[in-house]
Amino acid sequence: QIVAAETTSVISTTNDSAPQATGFTLAITPSATSSKILIMLSAGRQDQSDANLRMGIYLYYDVGGAGYNSVTGGADKIVTTSENTGPHSINWLLSPSTTSAVTVQPYFIRDHGGTETVYFNNSGGRTQMQLLEIGA
């Protein structure tokens, strides 16, 4: 099975101490505990005016409403983007070992100094996410 969603909402932060939830979520319910979920995220344009500023992107997931956890098992950024970049993509294979609903949400943070606001989706950007169940 595959599910997909898209947003054109502008999502911004000045937070540089902890990743911030984007509010853009997508859920899938695996048919078997042995299933894996391929997360495919194509995030919209990042903008800011400070040349030294970067944005870190994280992926978090929730199983059955129990609370969000990092897909990497820690607080690791998956990617860091630079100033005024176009769309960036992330692919991640998750093994949630459940048949409960799995909700995925990207988080982001202002990274590498600067004082400006970073935008996860800006300047007419579109962010798309697909979740694909892969049977074991």
Side-chain angles (χ1 to χ4, degrees), residues 81-99:
T81 64
S82 60
E83 180 187 14
N84 296 327
T85 59
H88 35 277
S89 60
I90 297 171
N91 296 315
W92 195 270
L93 190 60
L94 180 65
S95 300
S97 300
T98 187
T99 55

Side-chain angles (χ1 to χ4, degrees), residues 51-74:
N52 295 317
L53 194 57
R54 304 286 186 263
M55 177 177 67
I57 302 174
Y58 305 73
L59 285 176
Y60 282 75
Y61 74 103
D62 170 80
V63 176
Y68 282 94
N69 294 293
S70 170
V71 299
T72 63

Side-chain angles (χ1 to χ4, degrees), residues 1-4 24-39 59-71 92-105 129-133:
Q1 68 172 309
I2 187 168
V3 293
F24 177 52
T25 63
L26 184 60
I28 191 169
T29 303
S31 59
T33 58
S34 58
S35 293
K36 297 184 181 348
I37 298 170
L38 178 59
I39 303 166
L59 285 176
Y60 282 75
Y61 74 103
D62 170 80
V63 176
Y68 282 94
N69 294 293
S70 170
V71 299
W92 195 270
L93 190 60
L94 180 65
S95 300
S97 300
T98 187
T99 55
S100 296
V102 176
T103 303
V104 176
Q105 179 172 197
M129 185 167 32
Q130 297 87 30
L131 304 178
L132 172 66
E133 179 183 7

